[in-house]
Amino acid sequence: MLKVKDIMCRKVITVKEDISIQEAVQLLNDRHIGSIVIIDDEERCRGIFTERDAIRIFAAKHSPEEPLSKIMSSNVVTISLEASFDEAKRLMLSHGIRHLPVIDQTDKLIGLFSLRSFLDEVLGIKTPASSTDS
């Protein structure tokens, strides 16, 4: 049975919640990634900021100088390292999301399961940003 740990990306781009929206959007662009995971000092997942969020906040005319904490998705759906691919798929479909932070038993961030990483690893479809995507 295919597990999340077999497909997830271990190189996750993380930030603290006090960076500006502008810095977060610039990071998405510069690193060619679809999401940034916001962590606390203990490396626990506190939020996520995605390309979709960037579009939404600029359409809502938020100031790019506002801290990421004001607009990040803070009710983050996460998944465990040992979860099955089917469980990840169900979570993504039921929540309408493309990124699932992977956590260990202490809620520490250890990876990211994304639709893009699935396409890259399982189906062999390399997307333009696949070498740096998280």
Side-chain angles (χ1 to χ4, degrees):
M1 173 187 295
L2 194 58
K3 298 214 177 226
V4 166
K5 69 180 178 183
D6 301 321
I7 307 169
M8 72 176 198
C9 176
R10 294 186 184 274
K11 287 179 21 182
V12 183
I13 304 301
T14 62
V15 297
K16 302 293 182 177
E17 64 184 320
D18 60 345
I19 72 164
S20 71
I21 294 170
Q22 178 63 43
E23 290 172 301
V25 171
Q26 192 67 50
L27 190 56
L28 288 174
N29 183 64
D30 291 349
R31 299 300 276 283
H32 304 285
I33 54 176
S35 66
I36 301 167
V37 178
I38 296 86
I39 59 170
D40 63 15
D41 291 335
E42 287 79 40
E43 297 183 18
R44 291 182 303 226
C45 180
R46 292 294 175 228
I48 193 165
F49 181 73
T50 68
E51 292 169 310
R52 286 181 178 177
D53 293 328
I55 293 167
R56 179 181 47 82
I57 58 108
F58 282 108
K61 299 187 174 150
H62 283 272
S63 166
E65 300 308 316
E66 286 184 56
L68 195 57
S69 61
K70 288 196 173 197
I71 53 89
M72 69 184 189
S73 300
S74 56
N75 293 321
V76 182
V77 178
T78 60
I79 195 159
S80 76
L81 183 67
E82 294 298 324
S84 69
F85 166 73
D86 286 338
E87 184 179 346
K89 183 174 87 173
R90 276 193 304 275
L91 281 172
M92 292 173 99
L93 288 171
S94 67
H95 292 280
I97 57 177
R98 297 185 226 179
H99 304 91
L100 282 171
V102 181
I103 57 171
D104 67 12
Q105 61 274 21
T106 65
D107 291 335
K108 182 179 175 183
L109 179 72
I110 54 173
L112 187 72
F113 180 87
S114 70
L115 181 58
R116 188 177 288 168
S117 64
F118 170 75
L119 292 173
D120 289 349
E121 298 301 323
V122 176
L123 300 179
I125 300 172
K126 294 294 181 189
T127 55
S130 63
S131 62
T132 58
D133 183 37
S134 40

